[in-house]
Amino acid sequence: SKVVIDDDQAPPKIEAGSADEQTALAAMEDLLADGSPSKAASADLKLMCLRGRKYDAARAAALLPDLLALIEELDLATPTPRLAADLASGKFVMTGATDGAGRKILWLRFRFHDPKVSSPKDFARAAATVMLHALRDADTARCGVAVLQDMTGLRMKNISPPTAKLMFGQVFPRLPVRLGKLCVYNPPWFVGRILLPIVRMLLSAKLRARLVVLNGADREPLYRQFEPASLTEELGGSYPFDLACWAASVEPALS
């Protein structure tokens, strides 16, 4: 996997909006070529990269042109009916809840994904839009995300290898997001016995260390990973979440 995983999961010591953050931003600016698209990018995008790379100015400066290229390739600044439908499907959402480490929870339900309707690029556009919208929040960018891959009801028809290849090869590596945990809940037999063993071999050692697989629909193991107060009613939790309101609130990517 080309997904960048930090060795240290602790949140950065630099606070958002602090003088130290401005110093780090200035150091990043010095590394950007004059007249380049990266130099002309918004301060918000630069800060996303800086926070997502733990204030390492060199890593942030290297990531920014890749992020700008992704935004252009996926045309993320232009809303479309297909994008609106993908957001409203609920297959890739940020509920606003956090886990015990203060990381925002990314809730995936791919049983709502239809590869015959949403192409790999459609899915990538929706996923990148959701992530970049979430990363406007400074704490989300600084602390990273915890992914809850809820596979309840997943069927073979929902799986698209070209989509997975695009996401892990071209999209996630160019997003300024820190992955703190990946929890796979209730995978069907063909995922648990066939796909996951193959996927594990393709993951980096650091990513494998962050992967938690919870077989079966028993929620007690899930509650040891995510407190019920951070989960929606669908998962037996108490966190309030209105999918339609959330989908309508997601804004196009910055430039």
Side-chain angles (χ1 to χ4, degrees), residues 87-199:
L87 294 176
S89 72
K91 59 189 170 187
F92 199 109
V93 304
M94 300 286 291
T95 64
T98 59
D99 72 353
R103 299 172 296 220
K104 288 290 175 65
I105 297 173
L106 173 60
W107 187 22
L108 308 181
R109 295 176 293 176
F110 291 168
R111 64 182 179 273
F112 297 132
H113 178 57
D114 184 351
K116 294 181 179 179
V117 175
S118 295
S119 69
K121 187 173 181 178
D122 290 332
F123 185 94
R125 185 181 292 115
T129 297
V130 169
M131 292 307 309
L132 290 174
H133 176 79
L135 291 171
R136 297 184 189 207
D137 175 71
D139 286 337
T140 302
R142 292 173 67 254
C143 299
V145 300
V147 177
L148 171 54
Q149 169 64 286
D150 180 4
M151 291 193 172
T152 303
L154 184 74
R155 300 173 65 183
M156 285 290 293
K157 68 177 185 179
N158 304 122
I159 295 177
S160 167
T163 298
K165 181 179 180 180
L166 176 62
M167 292 300 299
F168 281 97
Q170 299 296 324
V171 179
F172 284 137
R174 294 193 281 177
L175 289 173
V177 61
R178 298 180 60 202
L179 177 60
K181 176 166 59 179
L182 172 56
C183 179
V184 176
Y185 172 64
N186 196 21
W189 70 268
F190 63 86
V191 172
R193 297 181 183 179
I194 300 174
L195 296 182
L196 272 178
I198 297 173
V199 169

Side-chain angles (χ1 to χ4, degrees), residues 8-58:
D8 180 11
Q9 292 202 60
K13 295 181 180 179
I14 294 177
E15 296 292 334
S18 66
D20 287 340
E21 182 176 77
Q22 290 304 309
T23 298
L25 180 60
M28 177 186 173
E29 288 273 10
D30 288 343
L31 297 173
L32 303 176
D34 290 336
S36 67
S38 294
K39 195 76 168 182
S42 67
D44 286 334
L45 273 187
K46 292 172 183 174
L47 283 170
M48 279 185 195
C49 291
L50 194 61
R51 292 163 178 163
R53 291 298 178 262
K54 298 186 67 175
Y55 296 99
D56 184 321

